């Protein structure tokens, strides 16, 4: 197998190329890998397709012609995965871009944002040649484009429960039952002496938010965000949260009075 020279030259389109000479019609080059694209796809996004563009040519010094051997994606572990998109078409003698994949093409595998955002995610390319003498393959630029749908906003429903005895208050702590949009109302219905309180304010915060403390009164500052309105006459308020950039958790606090 034949090794590529100047692999880092594929970072930009500037006629500074990665090259490999194929010394025999039976030879196949080693992989030219392009990675470190710096994607920042938000957690929760749905990945629909990956498009690769390779600006390439052959030196045209012999009768032999260069062709794709393998064109595949590389996952977050550095492993070549999925479908081989290489074709048998001859490479041109002047730089031209070939496109592989598509907006709805996952290359025969599945992707989540963490895979795409990893520095090892990228493209692997190898080439061969026909008979007719040593020929040089040249790659000027490799790009990857990822088509995805951002995560939908999350709707948070909050209520303040007040009971005539502390023993009746719910304890929905960490590790307790799942809380749904009707949990508070269901609790009040099942526990006479408990009510949902109107005109009560709530705030939400990203993973990085810190608890201002149980003795803190009123609204906390950034990064806490106040719900657009206090609880209504039914004791409920809601907020829509764009989860892009909030981290792996959303905190919710009541504004104590």
């Amino acid at each position: 197998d034949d090794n590529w020279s100047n692999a880092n030259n594929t970072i930009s389109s500037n006629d500074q190329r990665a090259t490999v000479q194929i010394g025999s019609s039976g030879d196949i080059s080693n992989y030219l890998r392009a990675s470190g694209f710096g994607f920042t796809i938000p957690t929760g996004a749905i990945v629909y397709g990956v498009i690769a563009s390779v600006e390439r040519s052959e030196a045209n010094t012999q009768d032999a012609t260069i062709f794709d051997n393998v064109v595949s994606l590389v996952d977050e572990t550095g492993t070549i995965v999925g479908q081989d998109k290489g074709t048998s078409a001859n490479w041109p003698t002047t730089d031209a871009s070939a496109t592989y994949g598509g907006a709805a093409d996952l290359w025969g595998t599945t992707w989540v944002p963490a895979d795409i955002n990893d520095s090892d995610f990228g493209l692997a390319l190898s080439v061969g040649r026909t008979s007719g003498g040593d020929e040089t393959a040249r790659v000027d630029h490799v790009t990857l484009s990822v088509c995805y749908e951002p995560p939908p906003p999350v709707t948070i429903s909050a209520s303040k429960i007040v009971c005539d005895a502390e023993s009746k208050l719910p304890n929905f702590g960490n590790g307790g039952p799942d809380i749904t949009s009707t949990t508070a109302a269901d609790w009040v219905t099942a526990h006479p002496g408990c009510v949902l309180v109107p005109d009560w304010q709530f705030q939400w915060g990203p993973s990085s938010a810190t608890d201002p403390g149980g003795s803190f009164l009123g609204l906390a500052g950034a990064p806490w965000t106040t719900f657009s309105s206090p609880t209504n006459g039914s004791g409920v308020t809601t907020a829509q949260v764009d989860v892009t950039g909030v981290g792996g958790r959303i905190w919710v606090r009541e504004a104590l009075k």
Side-chain angles (χ1 to χ4, degrees):
D1 290 349
D2 301 307
N3 294 320
W4 290 84
S5 299
N6 303 311
N8 288 336
N9 284 350
T10 63
I11 293 173
S12 62
S13 178
N14 58 5
D15 294 334
Q16 302 297 311
R17 304 176 181 92
T19 62
V20 63
Q21 186 178 75
I22 306 300
S24 168
S25 59
D27 285 353
I28 297 298
S29 76
N30 286 326
Y31 287 112
L32 174 66
R33 292 175 179 253
S35 59
F37 288 93
F39 289 107
T40 56
I41 297 175
T43 300
I46 301 172
V47 178
Y48 289 115
V50 180
I51 304 169
S53 176
V54 180
E55 184 182 353
R56 80 280 189 269
S57 62
E58 63 174 53
N60 195 31
T61 58
Q62 303 289 339
D63 291 336
T65 56
I66 298 292
F67 57 85
D68 297 343
N69 178 58
V70 171
V71 180
S72 294
L73 294 178
V74 179
D75 70 10
E76 76 284 0
T77 69
T79 303
I80 295 172
V81 296
Q83 296 169 343
D84 171 13
K85 298 292 185 179
T87 74
S88 60
N90 295 337
W91 282 25
T93 56
T94 57
D95 283 353
S97 293
T99 300
Y100 307 87
D105 189 342
L106 293 174
W107 299 56
T109 187
T110 57
W111 302 98
V112 297
D115 302 333
I116 304 292
N117 295 342
D118 194 277
S119 61
D120 282 329
F121 172 74
L123 188 78
L125 163 72
S126 66
V127 299
R129 74 163 175 83
T130 63
S131 61
D134 297 355
E135 188 56 275
T136 299
R138 309 179 298 192
V139 176
D140 191 9
H141 193 206
V142 176
T143 63
L144 288 181
S145 301
V146 178
C147 301
Y148 69 91
E149 181 180 344
V154 170
T155 300
I156 302 173
S157 177
S159 296
K160 170 70 172 179
I161 299 175
V162 172
C163 299
D164 58 11
E166 185 175 356
S167 60
K168 296 181 181 180
L169 288 171
N171 183 17
F172 300 133
N174 188 25
D178 291 340
I179 297 175
T180 71
S181 60
T182 64
T183 297
D186 292 343
W187 181 272
V188 168
T189 299
H191 294 81
C194 294
V195 296
L196 299 180
V197 179
D199 197 31
W200 204 271
Q201 289 187 302
F202 286 85
Q203 295 183 295
W204 69 267
S207 291
S208 60
T210 57
D211 186 355
S215 61
F216 183 87
L217 301 181
L219 300 174
W224 291 97
T225 299
T226 305
F227 284 39
S228 59
S229 61
T231 52
N232 57 24
S234 299
V236 179
T237 182
T238 60
Q240 277 205 330
V241 179
D242 180 357
V243 298
T244 304
V246 301
R249 182 176 307 213
I250 298 173
W251 299 102
V252 177
R253 67 175 296 270
E254 61 174 310
L256 298 176
K257 298 181 180 181

PDB file of all heavy atoms in Angstrom, residues 17 20 40 67 86 133 145 166 172 182 207 212 214 245:
ATOM      1  N   ARG A  17      -1.780  20.383  -2.129  1.00  0.00           N
ATOM      2  CA  ARG A  17      -2.530  19.133  -2.133  1.00  0.00           C
ATOM      3  C   ARG A  17      -1.850  18.031  -1.330  1.00  0.00           C
ATOM      4  O   ARG A  17      -0.619  17.987  -1.219  1.00  0.00           O
ATOM      5  CB  ARG A  17      -2.710  18.661  -3.574  1.00  0.00           C
ATOM      6  CG  ARG A  17      -3.382  19.682  -4.494  1.00  0.00           C
ATOM      7  CD  ARG A  17      -3.419  19.153  -5.909  1.00  0.00           C
ATOM      8  NE  ARG A  17      -4.034  20.093  -6.838  1.00  0.00           N
ATOM      9  CZ  ARG A  17      -3.361  21.000  -7.549  1.00  0.00           C
ATOM     10  NH1 ARG A  17      -2.041  21.098  -7.409  1.00  0.00           N
ATOM     11  NH2 ARG A  17      -4.000  21.804  -8.377  1.00  0.00           N
ATOM     12  N   VAL A  20      -0.437  11.058  -3.387  1.00  0.00           N
ATOM     13  CA  VAL A  20       0.063   9.690  -3.263  1.00  0.00           C
ATOM     14  C   VAL A  20       0.335   9.159  -4.670  1.00  0.00           C
ATOM     15  O   VAL A  20      -0.455   9.380  -5.594  1.00  0.00           O
ATOM     16  CB  VAL A  20      -0.933   8.772  -2.511  1.00  0.00           C
ATOM     17  CG1 VAL A  20      -2.244   8.635  -3.253  1.00  0.00           C
ATOM     18  CG2 VAL A  20      -0.309   7.403  -2.267  1.00  0.00           C
ATOM     19  N   THR A  40     -20.629  21.429  16.089  1.00  0.00           N
ATOM     20  CA  THR A  40     -21.246  21.684  17.405  1.00  0.00           C
ATOM     21  C   THR A  40     -22.759  21.495  17.290  1.00  0.00           C
ATOM     22  O   THR A  40     -23.531  22.405  17.587  1.00  0.00           O
ATOM     23  CB  THR A  40     -20.919  23.092  17.916  1.00  0.00           C
ATOM     24  OG1 THR A  40     -21.329  24.070  16.928  1.00  0.00           O
ATOM     25  CG2 THR A  40     -19.434  23.250  18.204  1.00  0.00           C
ATOM     26  N   PHE A  67      -8.798   6.173  -9.666  1.00  0.00           N
ATOM     27  CA  PHE A  67     -10.212   5.985  -9.332  1.00  0.00           C
ATOM     28  C   PHE A  67     -10.352   5.785  -7.823  1.00  0.00           C
ATOM     29  O   PHE A  67      -9.388   5.432  -7.134  1.00  0.00           O
ATOM     30  CB  PHE A  67     -10.804   4.778 -10.084  1.00  0.00           C
ATOM     31  CG  PHE A  67     -10.080   3.487  -9.847  1.00  0.00           C
ATOM     32  CD1 PHE A  67     -10.379   2.684  -8.753  1.00  0.00           C
ATOM     33  CD2 PHE A  67      -9.077   3.068 -10.713  1.00  0.00           C
ATOM     34  CE1 PHE A  67      -9.715   1.497  -8.528  1.00  0.00           C
ATOM     35  CE2 PHE A  67      -8.394   1.873 -10.495  1.00  0.00           C
ATOM     36  CZ  PHE A  67      -8.708   1.096  -9.400  1.00  0.00           C
ATOM     37  N   GLY A  86     -17.409   5.111  -2.661  1.00  0.00           N
ATOM     38  CA  GLY A  86     -16.486   5.245  -3.777  1.00  0.00           C
ATOM     39  C   GLY A  86     -17.095   4.785  -5.088  1.00  0.00           C
ATOM     40  O   GLY A  86     -17.951   3.894  -5.126  1.00  0.00           O
ATOM     41  N   GLY A 133       1.200   2.829 -16.082  1.00  0.00           N
ATOM     42  CA  GLY A 133       2.310   3.563 -15.499  1.00  0.00           C
ATOM     43  C   GLY A 133       1.954   4.218 -14.173  1.00  0.00           C
ATOM     44  O   GLY A 133       0.781   4.417 -13.855  1.00  0.00           O
ATOM     45  N   SER A 145     -20.551  18.161   5.327  1.00  0.00           N
ATOM     46  CA  SER A 145     -21.729  18.913   5.755  1.00  0.00           C
ATOM     47  C   SER A 145     -22.712  17.934   6.385  1.00  0.00           C
ATOM     48  O   SER A 145     -22.910  16.833   5.863  1.00  0.00           O
ATOM     49  CB  SER A 145     -22.391  19.619   4.572  1.00  0.00           C
ATOM     50  OG  SER A 145     -21.493  20.507   3.931  1.00  0.00           O
ATOM     51  N   GLU A 166     -48.375  19.884  57.034  1.00  0.00           N
ATOM     52  CA  GLU A 166     -47.121  19.581  56.342  1.00  0.00           C
ATOM     53  C   GLU A 166     -47.044  18.121  55.930  1.00  0.00           C
ATOM     54  O   GLU A 166     -46.449  17.789  54.896  1.00  0.00           O
ATOM     55  CB  GLU A 166     -45.933  19.936  57.249  1.00  0.00           C
ATOM     56  CG  GLU A 166     -44.599  19.771  56.551  1.00  0.00           C
ATOM     57  CD  GLU A 166     -43.433  20.245  57.400  1.00  0.00           C
ATOM     58  OE1 GLU A 166     -43.680  20.775  58.505  1.00  0.00           O
ATOM     59  OE2 GLU A 166     -42.279  20.076  56.963  1.00  0.00           O
ATOM     60  N   PHE A 172     -41.580  15.073  45.972  1.00  0.00           N
ATOM     61  CA  PHE A 172     -41.149  14.639  44.641  1.00  0.00           C
ATOM     62  C   PHE A 172     -39.644  14.876  44.494  1.00  0.00           C
ATOM     63  O   PHE A 172     -39.186  15.633  43.642  1.00  0.00           O
ATOM     64  CB  PHE A 172     -41.907  15.398  43.550  1.00  0.00           C
ATOM     65  CG  PHE A 172     -43.397  15.217  43.601  1.00  0.00           C
ATOM     66  CD1 PHE A 172     -44.244  16.305  43.515  1.00  0.00           C
ATOM     67  CD2 PHE A 172     -43.945  13.956  43.728  1.00  0.00           C
ATOM     68  CE1 PHE A 172     -45.623  16.142  43.557  1.00  0.00           C
ATOM     69  CE2 PHE A 172     -45.318  13.775  43.776  1.00  0.00           C
ATOM     70  CZ  PHE A 172     -46.174  14.874  43.687  1.00  0.00           C
ATOM     71  N   THR A 182     -49.800  16.615  34.908  1.00  0.00           N
ATOM     72  CA  THR A 182     -50.987  16.529  35.774  1.00  0.00           C
ATOM     73  C   THR A 182     -50.657  16.041  37.179  1.00  0.00           C
ATOM     74  O   THR A 182     -51.570  15.856  37.992  1.00  0.00           O
ATOM     75  CB  THR A 182     -52.037  15.580  35.158  1.00  0.00           C
ATOM     76  OG1 THR A 182     -51.506  14.242  35.100  1.00  0.00           O
ATOM     77  CG2 THR A 182     -52.434  16.023  33.756  1.00  0.00           C
ATOM     78  N   SER A 207     -28.059  23.498  33.123  1.00  0.00           N
ATOM     79  CA  SER A 207     -27.278  22.615  33.997  1.00  0.00           C
ATOM     80  C   SER A 207     -26.316  23.395  34.882  1.00  0.00           C
ATOM     81  O   SER A 207     -26.027  22.999  36.010  1.00  0.00           O
ATOM     82  CB  SER A 207     -26.491  21.606  33.155  1.00  0.00           C
ATOM     83  OG  SER A 207     -27.343  20.685  32.533  1.00  0.00           O
ATOM     84  N   PRO A 212     -29.867  29.153  44.590  1.00  0.00           N
ATOM     85  CA  PRO A 212     -29.590  30.320  45.443  1.00  0.00           C
ATOM     86  C   PRO A 212     -29.834  30.066  46.918  1.00  0.00           C
ATOM     87  O   PRO A 212     -29.506  30.904  47.756  1.00  0.00           O
ATOM     88  CB  PRO A 212     -30.540  31.396  44.891  1.00  0.00           C
ATOM     89  CG  PRO A 212     -31.646  30.625  44.246  1.00  0.00           C
ATOM     90  CD  PRO A 212     -31.028  29.373  43.711  1.00  0.00           C
ATOM     91  N   GLY A 214     -32.376  27.866  50.139  1.00  0.00           N
ATOM     92  CA  GLY A 214     -33.739  27.798  50.632  1.00  0.00           C
ATOM     93  C   GLY A 214     -34.217  29.044  51.339  1.00  0.00           C
ATOM     94  O   GLY A 214     -35.417  29.238  51.519  1.00  0.00           O
ATOM     95  N   GLY A 245     -27.989  24.151  24.086  1.00  0.00           N
ATOM     96  CA  GLY A 245     -27.011  24.812  24.932  1.00  0.00           C
ATOM     97  C   GLY A 245     -27.314  24.777  26.421  1.00  0.00           C
ATOM     98  O   GLY A 245     -26.538  25.331  27.204  1.00  0.00           O
TER      99      GLY A 245
END
